[in-house]
């Protein structure tokens, strides 16, 4: 019902709508309307109430509320049905995994305005301050062999890089395996958490953290040289809900293309957008690091590294970090 009140207010943007008209449209009492208006105000919507004129929506907060994300969304499954929103959360991955285990539909989405225990790859911390970034996890159930599932992070890298570019004009490049960089600084991290049997995927939780409206001083000192945000790059604030919607639409497009036509086109886009191919890199594993030339990635997303001795080393992303040197 609250959503219906909001929809009516939005439809009448720029004008007052009388309490009576809202009551008639939604078949509820004036007291009920008033209560919903109060809740909307608590959520940050600015609503002016004027005697005899009614209510007018005068401001929409920059929150990634499900109603804002879904407004006019063009997807069929991704973010189309259930979206769970949290003001603060340890990490979006956990509730998404719980929903997946309960058998939720593909495309179920968890978003948070803040993560207190946000994680990157290999358990590293993902810094996730409130209302600045976008933190999301998406439940997917691709009908593929588990060893194909790692492609999903590459698909997401392409999809998010292009969505960010379309929405903000920022040209983010992909750093193998799954970070987005702008001018060498990280603006987005992507990772996937897979649950599978030998021959089938149970579910996959795809998570992303996008630095949207951080100011330089919002990053801790140890990240200042390596992290950036879309706002820092463009000097303009990002409408985060709109960006989430664009990311979901873009992801659905590339994900569907993969399932329908295979990985070829996506891989060529991935290579096109890559900023860590055809350049010298340093690779770190838990107990070893070595230098080489990032020559290519193969069909499985593994990095083909040309070593100084001429040998070609194939590296899968799992335990490896890459630095562009
Ligand atoms: P890298 O190779 O850049 O160290 P990675 O790809 O192996 O990182 P990720 O899981 O993608 O690891 O990201 C985690 C790392 O990213 C952290 O160790 C930290 O250095 C950095 N980081 C954490 N939070 C943010 C953020 N909000 N924006 C940019 N970088 C971040």
């Amino acid at each position: 019902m609250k959503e219906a009140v909001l929809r009516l207010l939005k439809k009448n943007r720029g004008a007052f709508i009388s309490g009576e008209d809202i009551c008639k449209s939604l078949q509820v009492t004036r007291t009920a309307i008033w209560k919903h208006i109060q809740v909307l105000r608590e959520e940050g919507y600015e609503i002016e109430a004027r005697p005899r004129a009614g209510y007018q929506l005068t401001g929409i907060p920059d929150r990634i509320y499900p109603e804002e994300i879904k407004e006019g969304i063009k997807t069929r499954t991704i973010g189309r049905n259930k979206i769970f929103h949290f003001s603060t959360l340890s990490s979006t991955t956990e509730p998404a995994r719980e929903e997946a285990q309960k058998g939720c539909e593909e495309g179920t989405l968890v978003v948070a305005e803040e993560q207190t225990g946000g994680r990157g790859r290999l358990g590293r911390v993902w810094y996730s301050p409130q209302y600045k970034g976008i933190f999301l996890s998406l439940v997917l159930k691709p009908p593929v062999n588990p060893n194909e599932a790692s492609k999903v992070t590459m698909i997401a890298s392409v999809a998010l890089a292009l969505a960010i570019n379309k929405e903000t004009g920022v040209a983010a490049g992909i750093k193998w395996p799954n970070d987005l960089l702008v001018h060498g600084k990280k603006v987005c991290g992507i990772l996937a958490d897979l649950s599978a049997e030998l021959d089938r995927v149970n579910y996959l939780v795809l998570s992303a953290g996008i630095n949207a409206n951080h100011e330089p001083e919002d990053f801790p000192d140890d990240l200042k040289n390596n992290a950036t945000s879309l706002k820092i790059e463009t000097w303009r604030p990002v409408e985060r809900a709109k960006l989430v919607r664009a990311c979901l639409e873009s992801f659905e497009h590339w994900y569907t293309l993969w399932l329908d036509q295979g990985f070829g086109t996506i891989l060529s886009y991935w290579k096109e957008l890559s900023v860590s191919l055809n350049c010298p890199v340093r690779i770190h594993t838990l107990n070893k690091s070595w230098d080489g030339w990032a020559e290519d990635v193969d069909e499985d997303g593994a990095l083909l590294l040309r070593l100084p001795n001429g040998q070609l080393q194939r590296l899968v992303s799992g335990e490896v970090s890459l630095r562009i040197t």
Side-chain angles (χ1 to χ4, degrees), residues 86-102:
F86 295 86
S87 293
T88 181
L89 191 63
S90 170
S91 153
T92 54
T93 315
E94 277 116 54
R97 206 185 286 136
E98 282 162 24
E99 287 305 315
Q101 279 159 0
K102 282 193 263 168

Side-chain angles (χ1 to χ4, degrees), residues 6-21:
L6 182 59
R7 268 198 301 277
L8 270 183
L9 290 170
K10 281 186 175 173
K11 220 171 120 194
N12 286 275
R13 198 92 204 259
F16 280 90
I17 173 166
S18 72
E20 200 184 325
D21 285 348

